[in-house]
Amino acid sequence: MFKDFGKVETFLTVVRERSFSKASKKLGISQPAVTQQIKYLEDYLSIQIVDRKKNGINLTKAGEALYQSLLKLEKQILETEKEVLRLINKEMLFILGASPVIGNYILPDFLNDIQEVISNRVLTKVATSSELTELLLQQKVDLALIESPIFNPNITYREWMEDELVVVSRSKLPMLLKKEDLFTFDWICREEESNTRRVIYEMFRQIDVDCKNFNVKGIATSSTTIKQTLLKSPLNGVPTVSILSKYIIADEVKQGLLHVAQIKDIRLLRQFYLCCLKDRVQDALIDSTTDFLTHKSIQPSF
């Protein structure tokens, strides 16, 4: 029926996301490319399958019938792919790169599941986003899970999970902080070259807060070091605070060892991405891992 299954995946993603623009972000392709592939399906079938609206999309009656049929096809393809992977029984290592927050605090929850899904051993490399970009280009990493993407034309970037950065302290804080409160704390910050610090600085600019005016008590090169420093900070006097990912301090918050707060009028959000070389998008192991991770995102419960 079709020369490839890319257009099928595009159609299924458009339906699931209810949006052409959201589908383009999920697939790592441009919105015009999504539109072109849907038009190809409609021209090929000589029917209209998608009705675009201002607030999303609706399927036509024919489009709904096509969607249900392709769901069955997708399931069969996935089952066949698993059988092929078991058949070829690759002994090669599948190398999964991950930025520190993902590699240390998110990936361990389902790393064993990934190995089972692809019937392959998995080696995890934890490195910075810039280091992972180079490893991808050198083909020393098969798939990278990145916190702060450094966009490269040879790499496909697919949105994965959303992370939230929060103010953290050993001392109890108000649940909602005014921007004036930020200047009353002692701060533990990341080094100036850190991508996390850059993201925080840019977000603070939205509410006219200059981090350079904070009372910086210490600087650390890793989030884990910051967390341990906060855990050993004094409970009395001026609170010692920092900004960390919710995933990093989830266990300590549940145990009451650390406390979190949000900042009024702003949420410190960032996107995690799944990245691979463009010429390896159709790789069976990469595709199976990406599909699994896309449906396996987790959120801290506090």
Side-chain angles (χ1 to χ4, degrees), residues 41-57:
L41 292 178
E42 292 183 325
D43 290 345
Y44 186 89
L45 298 168
S46 299
I47 55 174
Q48 182 182 359
I49 57 177
V50 174
D51 185 14
R52 298 182 71 169
K53 302 289 186 181
K54 289 183 179 179
N55 58 346
I57 63 106

Side-chain angles (χ1 to χ4, degrees), residues 161-174:
M161 299 170 62
E162 191 175 70
D163 183 28
E164 182 173 8
L165 304 169
V166 292
V167 180
V168 187
S169 177
R170 189 182 176 200
S171 305
K172 288 188 176 181
L173 302 171

Side-chain angles (χ1 to χ4, degrees), residues 207-272:
I207 56 172
D208 297 322
V209 170
D210 189 347
C211 303
K212 294 179 181 178
N213 294 324
F214 287 173
N215 180 29
V216 178
K217 186 177 180 180
I219 297 175
T221 58
S222 79
S223 298
T224 301
T225 301
I226 290 177
K227 180 173 73 172
Q228 293 303 319
T229 302
L230 291 175
L231 288 169
K232 295 180 180 179
S233 64
L235 280 172
N236 300 320
V238 177
T240 300
V241 305
S242 189
I243 293 180
L244 294 172
S245 164
K246 275 189 172 183
Y247 293 101
I248 294 176
I249 41 85
D251 290 340
E252 288 75 15
V253 171
K254 289 179 183 177
Q255 297 168 27
L257 300 175
L258 291 174
H259 305 277
V260 301
Q262 293 181 324
I263 302 167
K264 185 179 179 181
D265 299 326
I266 190 172
R267 290 188 69 193
L268 303 178
L269 301 174
R270 63 178 175 179
Q271 189 73 46
F272 291 158

